[in-house]
């Protein structure tokens, strides 16, 4: 198990750019072995060993050419700075004529050299291609200052250049270590000579810290991912425990709720009955109850009499129904005669009352 863990860690270290976790490698052991074998032939960026060697060789060649270009470009910019500083000094104060002649000659030489380089055909062009404005480098060389001024400028150039570079180095030294600004020129020169090595050391240390920070960031990402994975597992486990516990106690809880509601309903019913009894006691006194009893007795006796009368009438109707339809016609005629008699009695009564008045 320890050997397997060591192999997993080795694969994760060999391929830091791959989005893999140790759990993925554990679930796919054959793939883990394949990556371990592949790590012997490729670097952490995914390049093969021969291709990495060719890339390093090309980078070395590019670095050499870059150094050559930087050296030329630095010299050109320093000369331009020297010319600009001279123009500033000339505006602020009076400058000796020899110094003015030196910088004018230097400026013209730089300008002609730059124009000649622009007119020089490259390897991708042909000699027959027309040049800019129909000019050739030989025509531009005629604009060079006199040979005497050029020779004199070359004699003084190294001294001026050295002085200007020294000032820039001291300015850089003062910026890097402000406490060295007031020291002697000899000590400054010694410290400037060691400044490049110190800057290289600090650069390498910064790159080392950057690489360490990158590794720590990758390690932190992996640990964060593992932490989140374990946290999700714990959350799922907690959810399952909560669900099981809830289902287990749900029956007891429902039973207790049912008992509670039953007791509450019984209590409400008893309270309703009590209120009804209180209302009856407030509404019915002893005298009203005695009167109600008498009324009820009288109504019961009348009800019994009515029921007896109803029974006798039903018996008579049953005996009449036995006679058939002929009796029914006589009954209708009898009823009609009774209605006429009643109407005439009512009319006679009304007539008698009006006559009396």
């Amino acid at each position: 198990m320890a050997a397997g863990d060591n192999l997993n860690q080795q694969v994760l270290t060999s391929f830091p750019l791959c989005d893999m976790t140790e759990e993925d490698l554990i679930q796919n052991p054959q793939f883990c072995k394949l990556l371990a074998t592949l790590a012997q032939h490729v670097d952490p960026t995914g390049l093969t060993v021969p291709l990495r060697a060719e890339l390093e060789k090309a980078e070395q060649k590019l670095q050499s050419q870059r150094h050559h270009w930087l050296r030329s470009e630095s010299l050109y910019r320093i000369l331009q700075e020297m010319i600009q500083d001279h123009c500033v000094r000339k505006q602020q104060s009076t400058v000796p004529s020899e110094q003015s002649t030196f910088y004018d000659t230097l400026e013209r030489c730089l300008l002609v050299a730059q124009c000649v380089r622009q007119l020089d055909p490259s390897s991708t062009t042909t000699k027959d291609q027309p040049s800019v404005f129909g000019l050739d480098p030989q025509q531009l060389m005629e604009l060079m200052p006199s040979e005497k001024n050029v020779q004199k400028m070359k004699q003084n150039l190294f001294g001026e250049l050295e002085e200007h570079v020294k000032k820039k180095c001291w300015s850089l030294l003062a910026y890097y270590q402000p406490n060295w600004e007031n020291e002697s020129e000899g000590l400054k020169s010694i410290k400037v000579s060691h400044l490049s090595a110190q800057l290289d050391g600090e650069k390498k240390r910064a790159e080392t810290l950057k690489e360490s920070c990158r590794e720590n960031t990758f390690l932190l990402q992996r640990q964060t991912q593992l932490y989140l994975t374990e946290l999700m597992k714990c959350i799922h486990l907690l959810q399952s425990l909560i669900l099981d516990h809830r289902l287990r106690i749900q029956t007891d809880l429902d039973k207790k709720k049912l008992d509670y509601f039953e007791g509450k309903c019984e209590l409400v019913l008893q309270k309703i009955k009590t209120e009804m009894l209180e209302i009856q006691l407030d509404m019915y006194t002893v005298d009203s109850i005695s009167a109600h009893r008498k009324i009820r007795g009288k109504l019961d006796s009348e009800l019994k009499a009515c029921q007896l009368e109803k029974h006798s009438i039903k018996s008579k109707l049953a005996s009449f129904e036995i006679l058939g339809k002929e009796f029914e016609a006589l009954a209708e005629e009898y009823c009609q005669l009774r209605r006429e008699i009643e109407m005439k009695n009512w009319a006679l009564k009304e007539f008698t009352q009006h006559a009396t008045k």
Side-chain angles (χ1 to χ4, degrees), residues 166 169-170 173 180 183-198:
K166 185 185 294 184
C169 291
W170 288 350
L173 183 65
W180 292 353
E183 294 181 355
S184 62
E185 293 186 2
L187 186 58
K188 285 183 180 180
S189 299
I190 295 174
K191 291 183 177 180
V192 165
S193 62
H194 298 290
L195 183 60
S196 177
Q198 292 179 359

Side-chain angles (χ1 to χ4, degrees), residues 14-203:
S14 301
F15 297 95
L17 301 179
C18 296
D19 188 12
M20 294 185 301
T21 61
E22 189 171 359
E23 185 177 357
D24 296 334
L25 298 177
I26 294 174
Q27 294 178 357
N28 303 278
Q30 297 299 325
F31 180 67
C32 180
K33 292 180 180 179
L34 177 61
L35 291 179
T37 306
L38 187 62
Q40 301 176 2
H41 303 282
V42 298
D43 62 354
T45 62
L47 296 177
T48 60
V49 176
L51 185 59
R52 169 57 66 182
E54 294 179 4
L55 180 61
E56 291 177 354
K57 185 177 180 181
E59 288 179 352
Q60 291 176 359
K61 185 177 180 180
L62 177 62
Q63 193 72 13
S64 176
Q65 294 180 357
R66 184 181 296 173
H67 287 166
H68 179 72
W69 180 85
L70 286 175
R71 186 163 53 248
S72 301
E73 185 68 15
S74 300
L75 180 60
Y76 174 75
R77 293 191 179 185
I78 289 174
L79 294 176
Q80 291 288 343
E81 288 179 3
M82 292 172 60
I83 295 172
Q84 291 176 2
D85 292 344
H86 168 70
C87 293
V88 173
R89 288 196 304 269
K90 188 167 61 174
Q91 295 293 331
Q92 294 176 352
S93 61
T94 304
V95 179
S97 59
E98 293 182 357
Q99 192 174 7
S100 297
T101 303
F102 169 80
Y103 282 104
D104 291 341
T105 304
L106 177 61
E107 185 176 6
R108 288 184 63 184
C109 290
L110 287 177
L111 183 59
V112 171
Q114 186 178 6
C115 293
V116 169
R117 186 175 60 180
Q118 294 293 333
L119 293 176
D120 187 20
S122 63
S123 59
T124 59
T125 60
T126 61
K127 295 290 185 178
D128 298 333
Q129 183 177 357
S131 59
V132 180
F133 300 118
L135 298 174
D136 56 14
Q138 189 62 32
Q139 291 175 336
L140 293 176
M141 292 299 294
E142 295 177 359
L143 300 176
M144 287 285 290
S146 62
E147 187 67 23
K148 180 181 177 180
N149 290 338
V150 173
Q151 291 297 330
K152 191 173 181 180
M153 183 269 295
K154 289 182 178 180
Q155 291 176 1
N156 298 327
L157 179 61
F158 293 103
E160 293 290 337
L161 184 62
E162 182 180 2
E163 187 67 21
H164 185 78
V165 172
K166 185 185 294 184
K167 290 180 181 179
K168 287 183 69 65
C169 291
W170 288 350
S171 299
L172 180 61
L173 183 65
Y175 175 80
Y176 180 69
Q177 289 290 345
N179 55 345
W180 292 353
E181 187 174 1
N182 298 324
E183 294 181 355
S184 62
E185 293 186 2
L187 186 58
K188 285 183 180 180
S189 299
I190 295 174
K191 291 183 177 180
V192 165
S193 62
H194 298 290
L195 183 60
S196 177
Q198 292 179 359
L199 292 176
D200 288 339
E202 291 191 1
K203 182 179 178 181

Side-chain angles (χ1 to χ4, degrees), residues 344-354:
K344 290 178 179 181
N345 287 333
W346 176 79
L348 181 62
K349 183 178 179 180
E350 291 293 325
F351 178 76
T352 304
Q353 290 179 355
H354 288 291

